[in-house]
Amino acid sequence: MQLSDVLLQMMAQNNAAGQPTDMCVGTVTKAEPLEISVNPAMAPLKAEVLYLTDAVRDYSLDITIDWFSENDAFMNGRHTHAISDTYTGGGSCDTGNLDTTHKHAIKGRKSIHIHNDLQAGEKVLLLRVLHGQRFIVLSRLAARD
């Protein structure tokens, strides 16, 4: 079920019951398994009653890119090779000021992982639904100085 479907279903149920949704702020008390405390008089909310948006969870995302890496000058312009030769006795070969900078093509469909999991102590914005029995964790709240 898509988040939009869940939201529509919850709003319809709340409107029918005459109890609209409301916003509240919670604090993540445990990251694994996820628990969020809304107020001291209420038991912490467990993962089973929480719907998480992408803003507060890890997820993978496919993207299409057509890039080049930055120049890599890892040899700083100097490049030598050891020579093993029984005729000359060996030594080394110094290629002088060889340009060793290069780029790599990065193209195609790639998968990236977004690290957004909640951590203990973070404040979150919650939308209370289904007579207060379910909550949508909408986003993190920035700490104020």
Side-chain angles (χ1 to χ4, degrees):
M1 183 177 271
Q2 295 287 329
L3 178 61
S4 59
D5 297 331
V6 172
L7 285 171
L8 290 172
Q9 180 184 10
M10 291 177 179
M11 288 177 6
Q13 289 172 348
N14 283 336
N15 285 338
Q19 186 176 11
T21 61
D22 63 338
M23 298 276 204
C24 54
V25 174
T27 302
V28 178
T29 52
K30 280 176 53 179
E32 190 61 39
L34 183 60
E35 284 187 4
I36 298 175
S37 177
V38 176
N39 68 52
M42 188 171 141
L45 305 172
K46 308 272 187 201
E48 303 82 51
V49 301
L50 299 171
Y51 293 105
L52 304 179
T53 63
D54 286 347
V56 295
R57 69 177 187 89
D58 283 4
Y59 64 99
S60 292
L61 179 68
D62 283 353
I63 61 172
T64 300
I65 58 174
D66 187 2
W67 297 339
F68 285 94
S69 66
E70 294 183 21
N71 279 336
D72 187 1
F74 65 95
M75 288 188 254
N76 297 322
R78 301 296 295 176
H79 190 72
T80 62
H81 289 278
I83 299 174
S84 298
D85 183 347
T86 56
Y87 181 74
T88 63
S92 69
C93 171
D94 186 352
T95 59
N97 222 359
L98 179 68
D99 183 8
T100 59
T101 60
H102 66 280
K103 297 186 212 182
H104 295 274
I106 307 169
K107 297 180 181 196
R109 187 177 178 137
K110 307 292 180 192
S111 182
I112 61 173
H113 189 77
I114 309 298
H115 299 277
N116 261 353
D117 267 355
L118 292 168
Q119 302 300 314
E122 289 187 294
K123 299 269 188 219
V124 292
L125 182 62
L126 301 153
L127 179 63
R128 183 190 320 247
V129 291
L130 286 176
H131 308 287
Q133 296 186 25
R134 297 269 186 195
F135 292 80
I136 300 171
V137 186
L138 297 172
S139 67
R140 292 174 167 81
L141 295 176
R144 293 189 178 199
D145 296 331

